[in-house]
Amino acid sequence: MIVVVSQARTKPGEEHASAYVALSGEFGRFFTGQPGFRGRRLVRGVEDPQHFTHLRWFDSVEHYEACTRAEGYVEHTELMYEHLEPYDSYPREYLEVVLDEADPQVRA
């Protein structure tokens, strides 16, 4: 299992953070029902409430990348980007899950 981690900073103001959270919730439709999808979380900084980290669990990188090619995926991310501070690239990292206390079968 892998986790895809991406981080974002919203523009200043709670209205941008709230809009980003709402759009992220709607964004779930692109993951639900996708092959290999295991779950996702969006977490927000306590000390820096403009900072968000999105975690998505998939069986493989290939499963995640197939999801990103789903119809409407890019268009929805563009709506979310309207509430983010500009950046040059889409910061994303693939990590392998080596220990999962919720699933005792996942071990290194």
Side-chain angles (χ1 to χ4, degrees):
M1 181 170 26
I2 60 118
V3 60
V4 182
V5 179
S6 59
Q7 299 190 18
R9 273 189 74 72
T10 57
K11 293 176 180 175
E14 185 58 32
E15 67 277 9
H16 290 292
S18 294
Y20 182 73
V21 170
L23 288 166
S24 293
E26 293 172 18
F27 194 39
R29 72 176 181 264
F30 292 103
F31 298 103
T32 304
Q34 290 292 321
F37 176 66
R38 298 294 179 169
R40 69 187 190 111
R41 295 277 191 277
L42 179 65
V43 295
R44 183 178 187 179
V46 173
E47 294 174 353
D48 180 1
Q50 284 180 257
H51 179 235
F52 289 85
T53 301
H54 195 184
L55 307 158
R56 292 142 297 192
W57 286 268
F58 280 84
D59 286 338
S60 68
V61 171
E62 294 77 18
H63 282 121
Y64 170 74
E65 289 179 348
C67 178
T68 66
R69 294 188 294 273
E71 184 178 336
Y73 181 95
V74 170
E75 293 79 7
H76 198 87
T77 60
E78 289 170 345
L79 291 173
M80 293 167 61
Y81 293 160
E82 291 179 21
H83 299 283
L84 299 179
E85 289 187 347
Y87 51 89
D88 295 331
S89 67
Y90 180 68
R92 171 178 57 212
E93 184 176 13
Y94 299 122
L95 304 170
E96 181 180 15
V97 176
V98 296
L99 178 65
D100 183 348
E101 295 294 331
D103 185 352
Q105 295 181 5
V106 177
R107 296 284 186 245

